[in-house]
Amino acid sequence: MFVFVCVGCGAELTSPLSRVALPAHAHQKYGNGIQLPVLMESGSFAVDPEPWGPPWRRWEEIHPEEAVARGIYAPIHALADGVPGSIVIAPGDARGTLLIPERAGGYCCGLDGADGPNMACEGCGLPVASRIDDCSLWQAVWLAPDAVRRLPVDGADPVPLSWAELLEEGKYTPPSEPVATWGSRVGLNHFWSWSPQWEAAVGRALAHLLAASGGRPVTVPDGLSAEVFQRALDALLPSGPAVRHAVLAGPGQPTPEADAGILLVPTHPQTGETWTPTGPVTTAYPVPVPFGVWLWLAFPTPHLPVPASGGMPDGVLRDDPPAPRPWCLFRADRGAFQHTLVRLPAVRSPWLREIPENLTQYMRAGLF
């Protein structure tokens, strides 16, 4: 467990926190006028190893060798040039800070952090963090890595759960959910939609599937996996007979066949570790999927005819309908897809480099 303190005066700026993996949707911008919830669970923090936020440099200002040194292999609009290692926490875990009024950038519906750190240490006034709560952004506080330091606190650090314990815990991420908007004078409106977390997770995984394909067609398992992946794979990859098959693999799943070339595997929600197979399939390309999303793909949860708990008498079935279906076809998150793809060396292949260069065309086609 750790607390973060101000480098200027040593004042504590957070409650005690334990480290978890950075969510795949941490920097997602979802829709327009959408009220997204808090990004991080209370009591946790995550670290972004890459620079994020201002100052920004346009791609034309970056030498190709510098881009490759930073792990960028294809052009992007702009590259963050701040200090790497930003720490993200839940807003309710911040302590001893004040908003800086002159840095309150955003204000469509809230703060977006575009003007740099907008929270200062209450003790010495040093800018230490950015509060993000504008529409279409996940609510969070991002601590500036050069303005805080991490100190251990008394008490045992939670031991990461094993894969078996994660299965037993069963923290699914449902594929669809009610999404709130700021469109009404009387309060929030809601509509049923694909989960923003799923759109980001699939966007990241789709980039890996393309890299693993080698320019050959790829199929995924039938069902929900096909619903969220196959339409984009068919549109983005060349057609042909030499099909590669991606299979779900991970804890509680059958051992993949020896000829499995692509595996959809879970990432550990606490450590960020990717599940690794043993045996002859160790050479397969692992496509990382956040654990809660992977769990639903691997072990779909049906609409239960009886409540998980409660007092309904024996033999009585619930009569409430299942959750509504989203009204549109699934679209992967463009930002998560592009962010991942340009950081994969395979994107230097001519056939694959064409995809990020023509993202607008694929957005109009409804893939993103």
Side-chain angles (χ1 to χ4, degrees):
M1 301 289 287
F2 302 91
V3 295
F4 290 87
V5 301
C6 173
V7 299
C9 66
E12 291 190 2
L13 302 176
T14 71
S15 58
L17 306 171
S18 59
R19 185 169 181 174
V20 298
L22 184 72
H25 53 285
H27 296 298
Q28 182 182 34
K29 181 174 176 61
Y30 182 80
N32 183 32
I34 304 298
Q35 175 73 8
L36 291 176
V38 173
L39 174 67
M40 303 297 295
E41 289 189 9
S42 180
S44 68
F45 75 93
V47 178
D48 187 347
E50 295 190 29
W52 191 262
W56 294 88
R57 293 165 62 197
R58 295 182 61 84
W59 180 256
E60 294 78 11
E61 303 170 8
I62 301 168
H63 192 278
E65 292 183 1
E66 179 188 355
V68 171
R70 293 183 58 172
I72 311 294
Y73 301 98
I76 55 177
H77 175 67
L79 198 60
D81 210 28
V83 180
S86 295
I87 303 104
V88 62
I89 66 173
D93 287 333
R95 301 287 185 270
T97 56
L98 299 170
L99 285 173
I100 305 173
E102 58 269 25
R103 293 191 179 181
Y107 272 129
C108 177
C109 298
L111 305 171
D112 67 3
D115 293 338
N118 57 26
M119 298 174 68
C121 171
E122 190 174 13
C124 66
L126 179 70
V128 293
S130 294
R131 174 73 162 98
I132 307 296
D133 58 13
D134 207 354
C135 58
S136 299
L137 302 175
W138 289 87
Q139 298 182 47
V141 166
W142 289 86
L143 300 173
D146 55 350
V148 301
R149 69 176 184 269
R150 184 171 62 184
L151 297 179
V153 297
D154 293 337
D157 197 28
V159 177
L161 298 176
S162 67
W163 291 111
E165 289 170 331
L166 286 171
L167 277 181
E168 184 177 354
E169 187 181 47
K171 282 192 175 181
Y172 291 85
T173 302
S176 57
E177 60 184 66
V179 174
T181 72
W182 286 106
S184 172
R185 291 183 179 179
V186 297
L188 296 177
N189 286 329
H190 294 80
F191 64 95
W192 204 268
S193 175
W194 291 104
S195 164
Q197 295 185 52
W198 271 68
E199 294 189 11
V202 170
R204 184 179 70 173
L206 180 61
H208 282 281
L209 283 168
L210 295 178
S213 73
R216 294 159 52 186
V218 171
T219 64
V220 295
D222 292 335
L224 186 55
S225 296
E227 189 171 1
V228 299
F229 284 114
Q230 199 63 61
R231 186 168 69 98
L233 289 171
D234 292 345
L236 297 173
L237 288 172
S239 59
V243 177
R244 302 198 72 188
H245 302 284
V247 298
L248 286 161
Q253 288 288 98
T255 302
E257 298 292 337
D259 60 350
I262 305 174
L263 304 179
L264 295 165
V265 298
T267 56
H268 198 288
Q270 295 168 297
T271 66
E273 169 194 0
T274 299
W275 182 86
T276 303
T278 58
V281 294
T282 54
T283 58
Y285 189 113
V287 174
V289 181
F291 185 81
V293 174
W294 177 89
L295 191 62
W296 197 288
L297 290 173
F299 305 97
T301 301
H303 177 67
L304 299 177
V306 293
S309 63
M312 291 182 69
D314 293 341
V316 176
L317 303 181
R318 61 194 295 177
D319 59 359
D320 55 306
R325 289 276 303 169
W327 60 271
C328 62
L329 295 174
F330 185 87
R331 298 186 179 198
D333 185 86
R334 179 193 62 82
F337 172 77
Q338 183 182 35
H339 181 271
T340 304
L341 187 60
V342 299
R343 286 163 174 78
L344 299 176
V347 77
R348 291 177 290 193
S349 301
W351 73 269
L352 188 50
R353 188 161 182 149
E354 175 272 337
I355 294 175
E357 291 175 351
N358 293 280
L359 269 182
T360 301
Q361 167 190 336
Y362 296 118
M363 290 173 65
R364 290 172 181 164
L367 302 181
F368 300 99

